[in-house]
Amino acid sequence: MIDASYLRLSVISNKHGMAKKEKKSLEFFTDWKYEPAIESTDHIQLKKQYDLFINGKFVKPNSGKYYDTINPATEEKIARIADANAKDVDIAVKAAKKAYDKTWSKMPAKERAKYIFRIARLIQEKARELSVIETMNGGKAIRESRDIDVPLAANHFFYYAGWADKLEYAFPNRNPKSLGVAGQVIPWNFPLLMAAWKIAPALATGNTVVLKPAETTPLTCLKLAEIIQESGLPDGVVNIVTGFGSTGAAIVNHPLVNKIAFTGSTAVGKWIQKSISGTDKKLTLELGGKAANIIFEDAPINQAVEGIVNGIFFNQGHVCCAGSRLFVQESVAEEVIQKLKDRLETLIVGDPMDKNTDIGAINSKMQLNKINEYIKIGLNDGADMYQSQCSIPKKGYFVKPTLFLNTSQSHRISQEEIFGPVLAIQTFRTIEEVIEKANNIPYGLSAGVWTDKGSRIFNMTQKLRAGVVWANTYNKFDPTSPFGGYKESGFGREGGLHGLMPYLKF
Ligand code: TAP
């Protein structure tokens, strides 16, 4: 049996100068195409209309308004979603406050842990359904939702269930106490996972929650609401209100909310910071990024190329910590770029429900327009573009994986967050030069370093102004590990023991 990655590598090696005989024997492989392997949707249960999840029940919005949520790969409507107004948010926050005062803050921590654990188990049980819905609503390849988003979401609940009754050990002699109601607003790139990042530590520390998912990706959060109902979590401990930016703003400005946890764009993060100044609300901001992925000449080149692809092209570049700036040491630049171009040709762009797909659909028409606009900007600014030869579906929102060569620090595509499968490439000669270039940006969320030298890795991690630095790998996540930014990428940490702190007072 021949393994698929071998077949892909065969396509690549055929493009490099191989002996004629070898080439002939590989001809079969160059014509080889994957048969579609479409994930079934038969097993999923979706309602035609979703109401707001408040005080343990699905209730109609006071606004009386609903909007359509669509599948970005087909542009077809999936369901109608309630649009919460300020009155709805007020009811949700009051439900959360009552649940905090009467039930959750009084419950022994080990009992709280049992509910969190139960939610984790239920996510695992429904993993297949959740993955399919995440892909249908968000556009990401099923492989991503199945292997990354959903297992990591369950793991966050498991991990924080473990901390609930051990807070005194986490912070010895500091007598940690919960805050009250946490208002949480999340983006569209990892809907279920971001909900898990926020809800799990809030519950473990004894707080109650009002969460708003992004307008375009509410479905897995609403399925999570069903899971929460099934888990028997006391009414009002978690409330999920759907809607637009104004719904998020109503949560941020509500006087009974004690803590805001926001993940999203830097622009909205700044607005939130201004809005709550002068109040005693605690705040964590997980914002945008423009990560540097740095390849030194002694790096394992083939692995580094995979790391680059994993860093920016999988998940359509819809990752805050995407390695969207590539810095390659001049002596290996030609080799790395050639290998990267070859690898781009093997990436499958298309139906996200197909298990072979590497790059699924862009989340929304608006985001697609933004990415295409940046591609135009890159060309107008004089960078050299290389795009994969692949075809993309006519319907739905898709972009070919795109490289921009010969970019410089002053190019907008090197400075601004695109949030799409677009990579800006620069070369460097010395370690000082690359540190200077990597840090010369308003963001500081993450970075990658590829080198054989351990000492160089330690040197770089000290000097790169990024919350996370991956060494000889990229985009690896674990619930035990804190995540967060520097500079305009925000402040506060989520994940790990550090992720408990923003939900506690001492
Ligand atoms: P945003 O437009 O900022 O939206 C994020 C969330 O905030 C959405 O739920 C949005 O609602 C809501 N919102 C919009 N205006 C608001 C306001 N005035 N007050 C309160 N809430 C408001 O970001 P996005 O486009 O969804 O997500 C992409 C951004 O998120 C990127 O910049 C990315 O880097 C960042 N991100 C960062 C991280 C971390 S961990 N740092 C992780 C993932 C994503 P609507 O959806 O209805 O507009």
Side-chain angles (χ1 to χ4, degrees), residues 148-149 152-157 160 184 186-187 190-203 211 224 261 263 284 286 320-321 445 468 470 476-479 481-484 493-496 499-500 503:
I148 298 172
D149 295 54
L152 266 178
N155 286 349
H156 266 83
F157 280 100
Y160 281 110
Q184 308 181 325
I186 58 171
F190 289 93
L192 182 69
L193 182 58
M194 289 297 119
W197 274 29
K198 302 245 174 318
I199 297 174
L203 298 188
L211 176 132
L224 180 63
T263 298
T284 36
E286 299 277 5
C320 49
C321 49
L445 193 57
V468 178
W470 285 289
K476 290 283 179 285
F477 286 91
D478 190 283
S481 164
F483 185 88
R493 295 292 177 262
E494 290 187 315
L500 295 164
Y503 291 96

Side-chain angles (χ1 to χ4, degrees), residues 283-310:
L283 176 65
T284 36
L285 294 176
E286 299 277 5
L287 308 177
K290 188 80 183 172
N293 207 358
I294 302 168
I295 320 291
F296 285 97
E297 61 189 358
D298 62 346
I301 300 292
N302 290 339
Q303 278 135 282
V305 169
E306 275 313 295
I308 298 163
V309 169
N310 179 31

Side-chain angles (χ1 to χ4, degrees), residues 186 188-189 212 215 244 262-265 286-288 320 417:
I186 58 171
W188 44 258
N189 57 344
K212 185 194 106 65
E215 157 209 338
F244 296 79
F262 173 78
T263 298
S265 60
E286 299 277 5
L287 308 177
C320 49
E417 187 184 43

Side-chain angles (χ1 to χ4, degrees), residues 180-357:
V181 178
Q184 308 181 325
V185 182
I186 58 171
W188 44 258
N189 57 344
F190 289 93
L192 182 69
L193 182 58
M194 289 297 119
W197 274 29
K198 302 245 174 318
I199 297 174
L203 298 188
T205 45
N207 299 281
T208 57
V209 167
V210 178
L211 176 132
K212 185 194 106 65
E215 157 209 338
T216 55
T217 52
L219 287 177
T220 46
C221 286
L222 291 160
K223 292 301 283 185
L224 180 63
E226 291 176 358
I227 285 174
I228 285 167
Q229 243 181 353
E230 199 179 330
S231 75
L233 189 78
D235 292 349
V237 173
V238 172
N239 305 274
I240 296 181
V241 288
T242 45
F244 296 79
S246 54
T247 312
I251 296 176
V252 168
N253 291 322
H254 198 288
L256 293 180
V257 168
N258 305 95
K259 190 237 156 20
I260 306 291
F262 173 78
T263 298
S265 60
T266 296
V268 175
K270 284 181 180 176
W271 177 86
I272 290 176
Q273 200 172 7
K274 276 189 208 139
S275 311
I276 66 164
S277 64
T279 73
D280 64 353
K281 289 177 188 172
K282 263 193 144 185
L283 176 65
T284 36
L285 294 176
E286 299 277 5
L287 308 177
K290 188 80 183 172
N293 207 358
I294 302 168
I295 320 291
F296 285 97
E297 61 189 358
D298 62 346
I301 300 292
N302 290 339
Q303 278 135 282
V305 169
E306 275 313 295
I308 298 163
V309 169
N310 179 31
I312 179 71
F313 296 122
F314 292 162
N315 202 14
Q316 303 75 247
H318 290 345
V319 187
C320 49
C321 49
S324 51
R325 292 183 297 152
L326 176 65
F327 293 96
V328 195
Q329 199 153 23
E330 223 170 66
S331 47
V332 289
E334 206 179 315
E335 182 189 358
V336 170
I337 290 165
Q338 187 54 53
K339 286 191 168 173
L340 192 54
K341 285 179 176 172
D342 291 343
R343 182 68 176 96
L344 232 61
E345 295 304 332
T346 70
L347 292 178
I348 299 173
V349 185
D351 183 358
M353 213 60 97
D354 188 334
K355 291 169 208 161
N356 299 313
T357 294

